[in-house]
Amino acid sequence: MFPDDIPAHRRIDLDAAEALRLLGSVSLGRVVFTLQALPTVRPVNHVLDGGDIVIRTYEGAALTSRDHQAEGPGVVVAYEADVIDPDTHLGWSVVVTGYAHVVTDGEELARIRALLEPWAAEPGADHAVRIHPDLVTGVLLTPTGDAPDDH
């Protein structure tokens, strides 16, 4: 039930292209991965690069260390970003699931460093992780009266 001053919402499922477009419109998200067999969440800033989500990190970070130990396609992660108005509860949320790889190519890493400055001043934040989206879901929360074509 909603308070009287907040209208009922309608949930609209987004296609992958629109969901990624929205994710690319913000710079903060949350990466979800496993640490010691338990789910762990870290807020990070990101950039979309060639359809992949790229984050900066430092040597010894949990995700970096875990990825170094992984063999095969990489480490499965989820990445979430959203913009939800705290007063109206309207906005959107996007969740991407895919494989994370530490960027090891020197030229690619230098290019990423120029694209993305870490928000937290971590010593040695010279590493980057690239997440390739395999599953992309997103929802748009609109007032009940809005038509799907209005967004």
Side-chain angles (χ1 to χ4, degrees):
M1 180 173 287
F2 293 98
D4 292 337
D5 58 339
I6 298 177
H9 299 99
R10 182 171 62 201
R11 174 189 163 129
I12 300 170
D13 291 326
L14 301 172
D15 64 31
E18 177 65 4
L20 284 175
R21 185 193 70 75
L22 288 169
L23 188 139
S25 72
V26 298
S27 60
L28 180 68
R30 294 148 205 89
V31 64
V32 182
F33 57 99
T34 11
L35 180 64
Q36 299 176 357
L38 297 172
T40 302
V41 180
R42 298 281 191 272
V44 293
N45 62 313
H46 69 268
V47 66
L48 280 185
D49 182 47
D52 292 343
I53 301 159
V54 178
I55 62 175
R56 293 271 304 269
T57 188
Y58 58 94
E59 182 64 39
L63 185 57
T64 306
S65 298
R66 176 89 172 113
D67 191 73
H68 279 305
Q69 298 170 10
E71 296 180 14
V75 174
V76 175
V77 299
Y79 195 85
E80 190 275 343
D82 57 56
V83 173
I84 305 289
D85 183 281
D87 296 323
T88 65
H89 307 155
L90 302 177
W92 57 266
S93 176
V94 171
V95 176
V96 171
T97 305
Y99 290 95
H101 297 274
V102 173
V103 175
T104 57
D105 179 76
E107 287 182 22
E108 181 183 7
L109 191 52
R111 188 178 62 74
I112 290 168
R113 287 178 186 146
L115 286 174
L116 182 62
E117 184 69 29
W119 284 10
E122 291 286 340
D126 296 330
H127 300 274
V129 173
R130 180 176 290 278
I131 302 166
H132 179 73
D134 287 325
L135 177 61
V136 179
T137 60
V139 296
L140 180 66
L141 300 173
T142 66
T144 305
D146 283 0
D149 295 341
D150 290 347
H151 68 278

